């Protein structure tokens, strides 16, 4: 159809079954390159093709999926907060995600332990910013005190933004 009306159509194919890689992908490649011989030859459309497989879901119901590595959760949270690709900090607090627009981000998460945003955790923060966003399982500091310190507490997993 693009050739018939000089269109610029693009498309995305989504397959949910096992045949996506060995049947659907091969059909799309033939359309791009062309197929057949002699009088039965069909000219290819040109273009390109990428094949992606989805990973494990980040959340299962109201819980973090234990099959998802913490690194992937950190990348997701960073992107949802900043709309930027995540680059891990070189050193420092293991829960520190980074700084963006003068806000520092922390993901205080441990698979086997409940994490609590408390004054002991705040003592580990060395990065200074106008505001600090901290993800943790619980918080033992009052909203008033957090506000005075320009800290926003986000509960894991409730406050992890969903796509």
């Amino acid at each position: 159809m693009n050739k018939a009306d000089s269109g610029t159509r693009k498309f995305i194919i989504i397959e949910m079954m096992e045949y996506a890689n060995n049947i659907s992908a091969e059909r799309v490649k033939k359309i791009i390159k062309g197929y057949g011989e002699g009088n039965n030859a069909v000219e290819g459309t040109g273009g390109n093709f990428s094949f992606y497989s989805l990973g494990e879901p980040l959340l299962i119901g109201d819980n973090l999926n234990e099959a998802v590595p913490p690194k992937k959760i950190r990348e997701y949270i960073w992107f949802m907060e900043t709309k930027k690709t995540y680059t891990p900090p070189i050193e420092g607090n293991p829960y520190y995600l980074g700084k963006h627009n003068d806000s520092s981000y922390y993901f205080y998460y441990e698979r086997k332990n409940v994490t609590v945003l408390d004054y002991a955790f705040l003592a580990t923060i060395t990065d200074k910013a106008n505001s600090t966003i901290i993800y943790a399982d619980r918080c033992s500091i009052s909203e008033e005190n957090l506000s005075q310190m320009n800290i926003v507490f986000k509960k894991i997993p409730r406050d992890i933004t969903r796509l």
Side-chain angles (χ1 to χ4, degrees), residues 24-42:
S24 301
E26 291 306 316
R27 287 180 179 168
V28 171
K29 289 176 189 175
K30 284 182 180 180
I31 292 168
I32 290 170
K33 294 177 184 175
Y35 58 92
E37 296 178 7
N39 290 340
N40 293 329
V42 175

Side-chain angles (χ1 to χ4, degrees), residues 117-138:
L117 171 53
D118 55 17
Y119 289 104
F121 179 77
L122 290 182
T124 69
I125 294 176
T126 57
D127 182 72
K128 301 298 178 202
N130 281 342
S131 67
T132 304
I133 293 86
I134 302 172
Y135 286 83
D137 293 313
R138 296 190 182 136

Side-chain angles (χ1 to χ4, degrees), residues 132-149:
T132 304
I133 293 86
I134 302 172
Y135 286 83
D137 293 313
R138 296 190 182 136
C139 182
S140 66
I141 302 171
S142 72
E143 284 289 328
E144 182 180 331
N145 288 349
L146 289 173
S147 180
Q148 289 172 357
M149 295 181 282

